Amino acid sequence: MDPMTKMWVSLIAILVMGLSVFLITFARTKTTGVLRGALSFLAFIVMVVGFLGGMAALM
């Protein structure tokens, strides 16, 4: 992967992880019950995707 592509992949990974932080914050402050659990799980999945993108940018 050329350096410019690595830069874009890492930028996208950072933005995806930011989205997961927003999701977990929203879930914990504004929701309750099953919706809270579902949003928390979705935030976890999104964070794993961001982590994998970050690892791909390092390779």
Side-chain angles (χ1 to χ4, degrees), residues 25-41:
T25 303
F26 178 77
R28 300 254 170 116
T29 59
K30 303 287 183 186
T31 61
T32 59
V34 176
L35 183 60
R36 181 178 184 175
L39 285 176
S40 296
F41 182 72

Side-chain angles (χ1 to χ4, degrees), residues 3 10 12-13 15 28-29 32 34-35 37 40 42 44-45 48 54 56 58:
S10 65
I12 290 169
L15 292 173
R28 300 254 170 116
T29 59
T32 59
V34 176
L35 183 60
S40 296
L42 180 64
F44 175 74
I45 297 299
V48 168
L58 288 175

Side-chain angles (χ1 to χ4, degrees), residues 1-57:
M1 202 179 329
D2 64 78
M4 193 61 123
T5 305
K6 284 185 177 188
M7 180 198 71
W8 285 111
V9 170
S10 65
L11 180 64
I12 290 169
I14 291 168
L15 292 173
V16 166
M17 288 186 130
L19 174 67
S20 72
V21 169
F22 170 76
L23 271 174
I24 197 68
T25 303
F26 178 77
R28 300 254 170 116
T29 59
K30 303 287 183 186
T31 61
T32 59
V34 176
L35 183 60
R36 181 178 184 175
L39 285 176
S40 296
F41 182 72
L42 180 64
F44 175 74
I45 297 299
V46 170
M47 185 167 287
V48 168
V49 169
F51 173 76
L52 292 175
M55 288 294 106

